[in-house]
Amino acid sequence: MPTPRHHLNRQRRRQALAAAPEDTAPRPRASVGVLTGPAPGAGRRPAAKPVRETSGAPEEEAVASGSGPRRLVPLVVLCVLTLLLGGFAGWAHGRAGELRDDPARSNTALTDLARTSEIKGQTAAAVAALFSYDHADTAPFEKAGKTLLTGKAVEQHRTLLGGVLARAAEQKTVITTTVTDSAVERIHGERARVLVYADQSSVSTAGTAKAGGKQSKARDQGVYAGAMFAVDVVHRDGRWLVENIDTFGR
């Protein structure tokens, strides 16, 4: 049977419940075991702050105006490079045409080594035969004049050796010419120009000396000289013939 004290305690509890604010939301319970997953909200990036809207049209225009020139720079550079490359291509094409048309560029003396060697060899042999003379055997000299000369070189050769041949029989002269070096200046098709360096000796055997009333032959010491001249040669019938002799005004 309830006592007056029990009634008093029950009444106090009712008054306390009536005075407390209503809270119907369930309270979270703390986990007691090991976490098997991330806590609520863990690993999430903070939400981006909203962009403050202002009357910032000038700022947007500034950004746009700043990016505009930067975008135009590569285009301008590309246009300039295109113009430069186009100009260079045109210049190179024109220059190539000039080089092809330049006679000096068509010289094959340095590119056709076999032909250059052939010209040097035949020219050296021709010069040695044309400018060597033996009073005791004139046949090689005469044959060289008939077979190794052509064009105006025939008359040039006769003029150069005319005075020597006039005295050769009397002085019994022996002339020996040896080509020491040569260089092919140019080759144009069937024609070439060769610079020649040669040593030449001239010895006379006509001198006499009296010894015991008898005459005996005396050989002089001879004359030795170096010569430099150029010859123009032309290719005919499988060999190179001398068609011009250039003594450089001497």
Side-chain angles (χ1 to χ4, degrees):
M1 177 174 182
T3 62
R5 186 176 179 178
H6 290 163
H7 288 288
L8 181 60
N9 290 335
R10 185 180 301 173
Q11 186 177 0
R12 287 178 179 175
R13 286 196 296 270
R14 288 178 181 177
Q15 291 177 356
L17 291 174
E22 295 183 0
D23 187 4
T24 59
R27 295 181 181 180
R29 297 181 180 179
S31 176
V32 184
V34 179
L35 293 176
T36 57
R44 295 181 183 177
R45 295 183 180 178
K49 295 181 179 180
V51 179
R52 183 176 56 185
E53 295 183 0
T54 61
S55 57
E59 182 179 356
E60 295 178 0
E61 292 178 0
V63 173
S65 61
S67 62
R70 287 196 295 269
R71 293 177 180 177
L72 290 177
V73 168
L75 180 60
V76 172
V77 172
L78 181 60
C79 292
V80 172
L81 290 177
T82 302
L83 292 175
L84 290 176
L85 291 176
F88 175 77
W91 174 84
H93 180 74
R95 183 59 177 164
E98 293 178 1
L99 294 179
R100 286 193 299 268
D101 296 336
D102 187 0
R105 299 294 177 176
S106 60
N107 181 15
T108 60
L110 298 179
T111 58
D112 193 343
L113 300 182
R115 197 171 182 83
T116 299
S117 178
E118 175 188 333
I119 293 172
K120 289 182 62 175
Q122 292 194 22
T123 300
V127 169
L130 288 168
F131 292 94
S132 296
Y133 177 83
D134 185 352
H135 72 94
D137 184 11
T138 61
F141 176 80
E142 295 172 354
K143 180 181 179 180
K146 294 178 180 179
T147 59
L148 300 177
L149 297 172
T150 185
K152 62 182 179 181
V154 175
E155 184 62 28
Q156 291 172 337
H157 181 256
R158 185 179 297 113
T159 301
L160 288 172
L161 296 179
V164 176
L165 296 179
R167 299 187 299 271
E170 178 184 352
Q171 297 180 355
K172 301 184 184 303
T173 304
V174 177
I175 302 173
T176 304
T177 300
T178 304
V179 175
T180 58
D181 198 4
S182 64
V184 180
E185 293 184 5
R186 60 177 180 268
I187 303 174
H188 294 309
E190 299 299 310
R191 283 182 163 76
R193 182 175 175 85
V194 185
L195 185 63
V196 178
Y197 300 88
D199 286 341
Q200 193 172 61
S201 65
S202 176
V203 178
S204 175
T205 60
T208 58
K210 293 182 179 180
K214 296 182 179 180
Q215 291 184 343
S216 62
K217 294 182 179 180
R219 189 181 184 90
D220 65 5
Q221 298 300 317
V223 177
Y224 301 87
M228 182 183 71
F229 55 97
V231 294
D232 295 321
V233 295
V234 59
H235 191 257
R236 289 180 182 173
D237 300 328
R239 59 180 179 173
W240 293 89
L241 306 179
V242 178
E243 66 173 356
N244 181 53
I245 303 172
D246 184 1
T247 58
F248 307 114
R250 291 192 300 272

